Amino acid sequence: KTDTFVRMFFRTYIVPAAVFQSVIIGGGYGTGREVIEYVTRHGGANGYVACAVIGFTFAVILATAFAFAVQFQARDYRIFLRTLLGRGWFVYEILLTALLIIVIAVVAAAAGRIADQGFGLPPRLGIASLLITVVVLHFFGRQWVLNALSLWSFILMAGLLAFVMTSAQDIALIPGSVIAGGDVFGAARSGFQFAIYNAALVPALLYCTNSIENTRSAALAGAVAGVFGVVPAVLLHSVFAPHMPLIANEEIPVYWLLNQLGHGLAVATYFLILLGTVILTVVGVLQGVQDRLDGWRRERK
């Protein structure tokens, strides 16, 4: 019974959180650039205000979406949006298709650049690793995708915690690292904007709720996923804030900071984790598309 409880707890609360975190982190957190733009530029203390707003907004959106999906058995975005919006549901699919093209293009370019800058390999190898990983995981099915996203989420969090520990002596400087022009309302608005644009992918991730049995558990799972989604922002902001404004204009702030700290092995490890992260962003979104096509096929046949 204990083994069954642990397994259900993991599938109900940890897997959805790991899926959401893994998908948004490639574009939202991987390089650290978005954290600078939406969080750290408002100052040390105000940056945490932005993080609080991000976490709260994520939690509300995910709790509502998960509960709705479970209540109406709408576990792929086609059924979810058809139930929610009626005949206008297809507008989301048009926008999602455009977004998916952009995501794949950006991730492919990022994979190529990581292979080049991080390991001195031809960019084509980075793009090839993206294609191979997507094909292999989707060939073996949804469970492989869920397992990969969950595992990588733990690896990513371990890497972020190690990153924070290397900069622990600087974090005490955060309260005094206030950037000119930053204000609490601006920080809150910026955090809300970040959460809203990342939440556009939530309907495509509803396959992670397949093991949730009731709406109460679904709402709680959504809230947990929202907290998971903001943790990387909190950790990265904690190490970025003491280095403002020097880090403000860096294209890849995490890479810059690791070089400043002189951690050669950590830089290589970071590039490896980042490569896996950006690849799994595509894997996670495409699983939602695949479930939508499966749902359509089941209805027709």
Side-chain angles (χ1 to χ4, degrees):
K1 290 182 178 180
T2 301
D3 182 61
T4 302
F5 172 78
V6 171
R7 188 159 52 246
M8 286 303 300
F9 181 87
F10 184 82
R11 290 177 179 175
T12 301
Y13 300 109
I14 305 302
V15 169
V19 168
F20 178 64
Q21 187 186 75
S22 296
V23 169
I24 69 163
I25 209 164
Y29 297 130
T31 65
R33 185 66 248 168
E34 297 295 299
V35 176
I36 294 289
E37 290 295 325
Y38 288 92
V39 178
T40 308
R41 70 180 179 86
H42 294 286
N46 288 338
Y48 289 117
V49 173
C51 289
V53 172
I54 292 170
F56 178 78
T57 306
F58 276 161
V60 170
I61 292 173
L62 288 164
T64 304
F66 285 7
F68 186 91
V70 171
Q71 176 69 30
F72 294 97
Q73 292 299 303
R75 316 246 185 176
D76 70 64
Y77 74 79
R78 172 174 164 267
I79 299 175
F80 178 87
L81 290 164
R82 195 173 63 186
T83 305
L84 181 65
L85 302 178
R87 294 181 179 180
W89 76 270
F90 68 90
V91 175
Y92 177 85
E93 183 149 64
I94 294 172
L95 297 175
L96 179 66
T97 301
L99 178 61
L100 189 58
I101 293 171
I102 295 171
V103 168
I104 293 176
V106 169
V107 168
R113 187 166 186 178
I114 291 168
D116 180 27
Q117 292 192 359
F119 305 104
L121 300 173
R124 290 181 180 179
L125 287 181
I127 298 173
S129 67
L130 165 67
L131 297 175
I132 291 171
T133 304
V134 168
V135 170
V136 168
L137 289 178
H138 284 292
F139 175 80
F140 285 104
R142 184 193 300 116
Q143 194 57 51
W144 274 56
V145 171
L146 292 174
N147 290 342
L149 291 171
S150 300
L151 175 62
W152 208 258
S153 177
F154 285 109
I155 292 173
L156 183 66
M157 289 304 298
L160 285 173
L161 288 172
F163 186 34
V164 170
M165 290 175 65
T166 61
S167 305
Q169 68 275 14
D170 295 328
I171 295 177
L173 302 175
I174 289 177
S177 56
V178 179
I179 308 304
D183 65 275
V184 65
F185 297 108
R189 182 173 62 249
S190 187
F192 182 73
Q193 291 171 341
F194 178 86
I196 288 296
Y197 91 75
N198 275 286
L201 290 173
V202 168
L205 306 179
L206 293 175
Y207 59 87
C208 68
T209 67
N210 282 339
S211 296
I212 302 177
E213 297 178 348
N214 56 70
T215 54
R216 182 177 179 181
S217 296
L220 182 56
V224 171
V227 173
F228 265 62
V230 77
V231 167
V234 174
L235 295 178
L236 288 173
H237 172 63
S238 297
V239 295
F240 287 164
H243 298 277
M244 290 291 280
L246 292 177
I247 201 173
N249 296 318
E250 293 298 324
E251 187 175 0
I252 307 180
V254 175
Y255 177 55
W256 176 86
L257 185 53
L258 285 171
N259 275 326
Q260 294 296 308
L261 296 172
H263 299 306
L265 179 61
V267 171
T269 303
Y270 162 71
F271 274 117
L272 181 61
I273 293 175
L274 181 59
L275 178 61
T277 299
V278 297
I279 289 174
L280 288 176
T281 296
V282 173
V283 170
V285 177
L286 285 178
Q287 182 60 48
V289 176
Q290 184 165 292
D291 272 30
R292 174 258 189 269
L293 295 174
D294 283 346
W296 172 82
R297 185 182 62 181
R298 284 193 299 270
E299 281 190 8
R300 290 299 178 95
K301 299 183 178 180

